[in-house]
Amino acid sequence: MNQLTKPSGINSGLTRRTTLGLFGAGIALLAAGAARAEEEKVLTEAQVLRDPEIPVIGNPDGDITIVEWFDYNCPYCRRLAPELRQVVQDDGKVRLVLKDWPILGPVSKVAARMALAARYQNKFEAAHEAMISVNSRITEPRIAELLSGAGLDVDRLKKDLDANAKAIDALLVRNNEQAEAFGFNGTPSFIVGKYRVPGALSMDQFEQAIADARKANMGRKIERN
């Protein structure tokens, strides 16, 4: 599989009109991806938005889903994380689906696998916050230090990882296949509702994307009625 390392993003200086235009193009691309999924079974709504093995934070019953493909060693992901967390918290009705996409080297894969193994202690969010909050690239020794400091049982974590390695690696394969099928060029990349967003956004742009996704959902409900 291709290893993608070049982050792509939406320039925070874009006007609102230009940004919405890009989002509009994203809807068409997402629709095209859904059509391909009939054959590939990669981009179905259930797999992208509702994979039961993918960690979800925020409101699990929220009316809008944000899906993020991220890498713990991606500086853009780390810089964005506090703002995205604030948007989700302030809104109160957003499901944030976190898809590990470790494309920046072997240590990224170690970090992703360890974070996913933390689910078996019901501590994925603590593991995620510990690793996404650092200010520099992480190393393998640093991963264990961060997770221990976040209250995880690292010995148990390693045992859970060994016992569930097949399921964890299959999940990472699914995440990668979806990212490649969407044509994402790097981390972070997002789906916001039905919008495809290949890059980082500001808080204002996230809020606008969420608002637009809600309007689109309302429009579909009116049509069905």
Coordinates of all heavy atoms in Angstrom, one line a residue, residues 6-60:
K6 N 2.8 13.5 2.6 CA 2.7 15.0 2.4 C 1.3 15.5 2.9 O 0.3 15.2 2.3 CB 2.8 15.3 0.9 CG 2.8 16.8 0.6 CD 2.9 17.0 -0.9 CE 2.8 18.5 -1.2 NZ 2.9 18.8 -2.7
P7 N 1.3 16.2 4.0 CA 0.0 16.7 4.4 C -0.6 17.7 3.4 O 0.1 18.5 2.8 CB 0.4 17.5 5.8 CG 1.7 16.9 6.1 CD 2.4 16.6 4.8
S8 N -1.9 17.7 3.4 CA -2.6 18.7 2.6 C -3.6 19.4 3.4 O -4.1 18.9 4.4 CB -3.4 18.0 1.4 OG -4.3 17.1 1.9
G9 N -3.9 20.7 3.1 CA -4.8 21.4 4.0 C -5.5 22.5 3.2 O -5.2 22.8 2.1
I10 N -6.5 23.1 3.9 CA -7.2 24.2 3.4 C -6.6 25.5 4.0 O -6.6 25.6 5.3 CB -8.7 24.2 3.7 CG1 -9.3 23.0 2.9 CG2 -9.5 25.4 3.3 CD1 -10.8 22.8 3.1
N11 N -6.2 26.4 3.3 CA -5.5 27.6 3.8 C -6.5 28.4 4.6 O -7.6 28.7 4.2 CB -5.1 28.5 2.6 CG -4.2 29.6 3.0 OD1 -4.6 30.3 4.0 ND2 -3.2 29.8 2.3
S12 N -6.1 28.7 5.9 CA -7.0 29.3 6.8 C -7.4 30.7 6.3 O -8.3 31.4 6.8 CB -6.4 29.4 8.2 OG -5.2 30.1 8.1
G13 N -6.6 31.2 5.3 CA -6.9 32.6 4.8 C -8.0 32.6 3.7 O -8.4 33.6 3.2
L14 N -8.5 31.4 3.4 CA -9.5 31.4 2.3 C -10.8 32.1 2.8 O -11.1 32.1 4.0 CB -9.9 29.9 2.0 CG -8.9 29.1 1.3 CD1 -9.4 27.7 1.1 CD2 -8.5 29.7 -0.1
T15 N -11.5 32.7 1.9 CA -12.8 33.3 2.2 C -13.8 32.3 2.5 O -13.7 31.1 2.1 CB -13.3 34.2 1.1 OG1 -13.6 33.3 0.0 CG2 -12.2 35.2 0.6
R16 N -14.8 32.6 3.2 CA -15.9 31.7 3.6 C -16.5 31.1 2.3 O -16.8 30.0 2.2 CB -17.0 32.4 4.4 CG -18.2 31.5 4.7 CD -19.1 32.2 5.7 NE -20.3 31.4 6.0 CZ -21.4 31.3 5.2 NH1 -21.4 32.0 4.1 NH2 -22.4 30.5 5.5
R17 N -16.7 32.0 1.3 CA -17.3 31.6 0.0 C -16.5 30.5 -0.6 O -17.0 29.5 -1.1 CB -17.6 32.8 -0.9 CG -18.2 32.4 -2.2 CD -18.5 33.6 -3.0 NE -19.2 33.3 -4.2 CZ -19.6 34.2 -5.1 NH1 -19.4 35.5 -4.9 NH2 -20.2 33.9 -6.3
T18 N -15.2 30.7 -0.7 CA -14.3 29.8 -1.3 C -14.3 28.5 -0.6 O -14.3 27.4 -1.1 CB -12.8 30.4 -1.4 OG1 -12.9 31.6 -2.1 CG2 -11.9 29.4 -2.1
T19 N -14.2 28.6 0.8 CA -14.2 27.4 1.6 C -15.5 26.5 1.3 O -15.4 25.3 1.2 CB -14.1 27.7 3.1 OG1 -13.0 28.5 3.3 CG2 -14.1 26.5 3.9
L20 N -16.6 27.2 1.3 CA -17.9 26.5 1.1 C -17.9 25.9 -0.3 O -18.5 24.8 -0.5 CB -19.1 27.4 1.3 CG -19.3 27.9 2.7 CD1 -20.5 28.8 2.8 CD2 -19.4 26.8 3.7
G21 N -17.3 26.5 -1.3 CA -17.2 25.9 -2.6 C -16.4 24.6 -2.6 O -16.8 23.7 -3.2
L22 N -15.3 24.6 -1.8 CA -14.5 23.4 -1.7 C -15.3 22.3 -1.0 O -15.3 21.2 -1.4 CB -13.3 23.7 -0.9 CG -12.2 24.5 -1.6 CD1 -11.1 24.9 -0.6 CD2 -11.6 23.7 -2.8
F23 N -16.1 22.7 0.0 CA -16.9 21.7 0.7 C -18.0 21.2 -0.3 O -18.3 20.0 -0.3 CB -17.7 22.4 1.9 CG -16.8 22.7 3.0 CD1 -17.1 23.6 4.0 CD2 -15.6 22.0 3.2 CE1 -16.3 23.9 5.1 CE2 -14.8 22.2 4.3 CZ -15.2 23.2 5.2
G24 N -18.6 22.0 -1.1 CA -19.5 21.6 -2.1 C -19.0 20.5 -3.0 O -19.6 19.5 -3.3
A25 N -17.7 20.8 -3.5 CA -17.1 19.8 -4.3 C -16.9 18.5 -3.5 O -16.9 17.4 -4.1 CB -15.7 20.4 -4.8
G26 N -16.6 18.6 -2.2 CA -16.4 17.5 -1.4 C -17.7 16.6 -1.4 O -17.5 15.3 -1.4
I27 N -18.8 17.2 -1.4 CA -20.1 16.4 -1.4 C -20.1 15.5 -2.7 O -20.4 14.3 -2.6 CB -21.3 17.3 -1.4 CG1 -21.4 18.0 0.0 CG2 -22.6 16.4 -1.6 CD1 -22.5 18.9 0.1
A28 N -19.8 16.1 -3.8 CA -19.8 15.3 -5.1 C -18.8 14.2 -5.0 O -19.1 13.1 -5.5 CB -19.5 16.2 -6.2
L29 N -17.6 14.4 -4.5 CA -16.6 13.4 -4.4 C -17.0 12.3 -3.5 O -16.7 11.1 -3.7 CB -15.2 14.0 -3.9 CG -14.5 14.9 -4.9 CD1 -13.4 15.7 -4.3 CD2 -14.0 14.1 -6.1
L30 N -17.6 12.7 -2.4 CA -18.1 11.6 -1.4 C -19.2 10.8 -2.1 O -19.2 9.6 -1.9 CB -18.7 12.3 -0.2 CG -19.2 11.4 0.9 CD1 -18.1 10.3 1.3 CD2 -19.6 12.1 2.2
A31 N -20.0 11.4 -2.9 CA -21.1 10.6 -3.6 C -20.4 9.7 -4.6 O -20.9 8.5 -4.7 CB -22.0 11.6 -4.3
A32 N -19.4 10.1 -5.3 CA -18.7 9.3 -6.2 C -18.1 8.1 -5.5 O -18.1 7.0 -5.9 CB -17.7 10.1 -7.0
G33 N -17.5 8.4 -4.3 CA -16.9 7.3 -3.5 C -17.9 6.3 -3.1 O -17.7 5.1 -3.1
A34 N -19.1 6.7 -2.7 CA -20.2 5.8 -2.3 C -20.6 4.9 -3.4 O -20.9 3.7 -3.2 CB -21.4 6.6 -1.8
A35 N -20.6 5.4 -4.7 CA -20.9 4.6 -5.8 C -19.9 3.5 -6.0 O -20.2 2.3 -6.2 CB -21.0 5.4 -7.1
R36 N -18.6 3.8 -5.9 CA -17.5 2.8 -6.0 C -17.6 1.8 -4.9 O -17.3 0.6 -5.1 CB -16.2 3.5 -5.9 CG -15.8 4.3 -7.1 CD -14.3 4.6 -7.1 NE -13.8 5.2 -5.9 CZ -13.8 6.4 -5.6 NH1 -14.3 7.3 -6.5 NH2 -13.3 6.9 -4.5
A37 N -18.2 2.2 -3.8 CA -18.2 1.2 -2.6 C -19.1 0.0 -2.9 O -19.0 -1.0 -2.2 CB -18.7 2.0 -1.4
E38 N -20.1 0.2 -3.8 CA -20.9 -1.0 -4.2 C -20.0 -2.2 -4.6 O -20.4 -3.3 -4.4 CB -21.9 -0.6 -5.2 CG -23.0 0.4 -4.8 CD -23.8 -0.2 -3.6 OE1 -24.2 -1.4 -3.7 OE2 -24.0 0.5 -2.6
E39 N -18.9 -1.8 -5.3 CA -18.0 -2.9 -5.8 C -16.9 -3.2 -4.7 O -16.6 -4.3 -4.5 CB -17.4 -2.5 -7.1 CG -18.4 -2.3 -8.2 CD -17.8 -1.9 -9.5 OE1 -16.6 -1.7 -9.5 OE2 -18.5 -1.8 -10.5
E40 N -16.4 -2.1 -4.2 CA -15.2 -2.3 -3.3 C -15.5 -2.6 -1.9 O -14.7 -3.1 -1.1 CB -14.3 -1.0 -3.4 CG -13.9 -0.7 -4.8 CD -13.1 0.6 -4.8 OE1 -12.9 1.2 -3.8 OE2 -12.7 1.0 -5.9
K41 N -16.7 -2.2 -1.4 CA -17.1 -2.4 0.0 C -16.1 -1.6 0.9 O -15.8 -2.1 2.0 CB -17.2 -3.8 0.4 CG -18.2 -4.6 -0.5 CD -19.6 -4.1 -0.4 CE -20.6 -4.9 -1.2 NZ -21.9 -4.4 -1.2
V42 N -15.6 -0.5 0.5 CA -14.7 0.3 1.2 C -15.3 1.5 1.8 O -15.0 1.9 3.0 CB -13.4 0.6 0.4 CG1 -12.5 1.6 1.1 CG2 -12.7 -0.6 0.0
L43 N -16.1 2.2 1.0 CA -16.6 3.5 1.4 C -18.1 3.5 1.8 O -18.8 4.5 1.5 CB -16.3 4.6 0.3 CG -14.9 4.8 0.0 CD1 -14.7 6.0 -1.0 CD2 -14.1 5.1 1.3
T44 N -18.6 2.4 2.2 CA -20.0 2.4 2.7 C -20.1 3.3 3.9 O -19.2 3.5 4.7 CB -20.5 1.0 3.0 OG1 -19.7 0.5 4.2 CG2 -20.3 0.0 1.9
E45 N -21.3 3.9 4.1 CA -21.6 4.7 5.2 C -21.3 4.0 6.5 O -20.7 4.5 7.5 CB -23.0 5.3 5.2 CG -23.3 6.2 6.4 CD -24.6 6.9 6.2 OE1 -25.1 7.0 5.1 OE2 -25.2 7.3 7.3
A46 N -21.7 2.7 6.6 CA -21.5 1.9 7.8 C -20.0 1.8 8.1 O -19.6 1.9 9.3 CB -22.1 0.5 7.6
Q47 N -19.2 1.5 7.1 CA -17.8 1.4 7.3 C -17.1 2.7 7.7 O -16.2 2.7 8.6 CB -17.1 0.8 6.1 CG -17.4 -0.7 5.9 CD -16.6 -1.6 6.8 OE1 -15.7 -1.1 7.6 NE2 -16.8 -2.9 6.8
V48 N -17.5 3.8 7.0 CA -16.8 5.0 7.2 C -17.3 5.7 8.5 O -16.4 6.2 9.3 CB -17.0 6.0 6.0 CG1 -16.4 7.4 6.3 CG2 -16.4 5.4 4.8
L49 N -18.6 5.7 8.7 CA -19.1 6.5 9.9 C -19.4 5.6 11.1 O -19.5 6.2 12.2 CB -20.4 7.2 9.4 CG -20.3 8.2 8.2 CD1 -21.7 8.9 8.0 CD2 -19.2 9.2 8.4
R50 N -19.7 4.4 10.9 CA -20.3 3.6 12.0 C -19.5 2.3 12.2 O -20.1 1.3 12.8 CB -21.7 3.2 11.7 CG -22.6 4.4 11.4 CD -23.0 5.1 12.6 NE -23.8 6.4 12.3 CZ -24.3 7.2 13.3 NH1 -24.1 6.8 14.6 NH2 -24.9 8.3 12.9
D51 N -18.3 2.2 11.9 CA -17.5 1.0 12.2 C -17.4 0.8 13.7 O -16.9 1.6 14.4 CB -16.1 1.2 11.6 CG -15.2 -0.1 11.8 OD1 -15.5 -0.9 12.7 OD2 -14.3 -0.3 10.9
P52 N -18.0 -0.3 14.2 CA -18.1 -0.4 15.7 C -16.8 -0.6 16.4 O -16.7 -0.5 17.6 CB -19.0 -1.7 15.8 CG -18.8 -2.5 14.6 CD -18.6 -1.4 13.5
E53 N -15.7 -0.9 15.6 CA -14.4 -1.1 16.3 C -13.6 0.2 16.3 O -12.5 0.2 16.9 CB -13.6 -2.2 15.5 CG -14.3 -3.5 15.6 CD -13.5 -4.6 15.0 OE1 -12.2 -4.6 15.1 OE2 -14.0 -5.5 14.4
I54 N -14.1 1.3 15.7 CA -13.4 2.5 15.7 C -13.8 3.4 16.9 O -14.9 3.5 17.2 CB -13.7 3.3 14.4 CG1 -13.2 2.5 13.2 CG2 -13.0 4.7 14.4 CD1 -11.7 2.4 13.0
P55 N -12.8 3.9 17.6 CA -13.1 4.8 18.8 C -13.9 6.0 18.4 O -13.7 6.6 17.4 CB -11.8 5.1 19.4 CG -10.8 4.1 18.8 CD -11.3 3.7 17.5
V56 N -14.9 6.3 19.3 CA -15.7 7.5 19.1 C -15.6 8.4 20.4 O -15.8 7.8 21.5 CB -17.2 7.2 18.8 CG1 -18.0 8.4 18.7 CG2 -17.3 6.4 17.5
I57 N -15.4 9.7 20.3 CA -15.5 10.5 21.4 C -16.5 11.7 21.1 O -17.0 11.7 20.0 CB -14.1 11.1 21.8 CG1 -13.5 12.0 20.7 CG2 -13.1 10.0 22.1 CD1 -12.2 12.7 21.1
G58 N -16.7 12.5 22.1 CA -17.8 13.5 21.9 C -19.1 12.8 22.3 O -19.2 12.0 23.2
N59 N -20.2 13.2 21.5 CA -21.5 12.7 21.8 C -21.8 11.5 20.9 O -21.9 11.6 19.7 CB -22.6 13.8 21.5 CG -24.0 13.3 21.8 OD1 -24.3 12.2 22.0 ND2 -24.9 14.3 22.0
P60 N -21.8 10.3 21.5 CA -22.0 9.1 20.6 C -23.3 9.0 19.9 O -23.5 8.3 18.9 CB -21.9 7.9 21.6 CG -22.2 8.5 22.9 CD -21.8 9.9 22.9

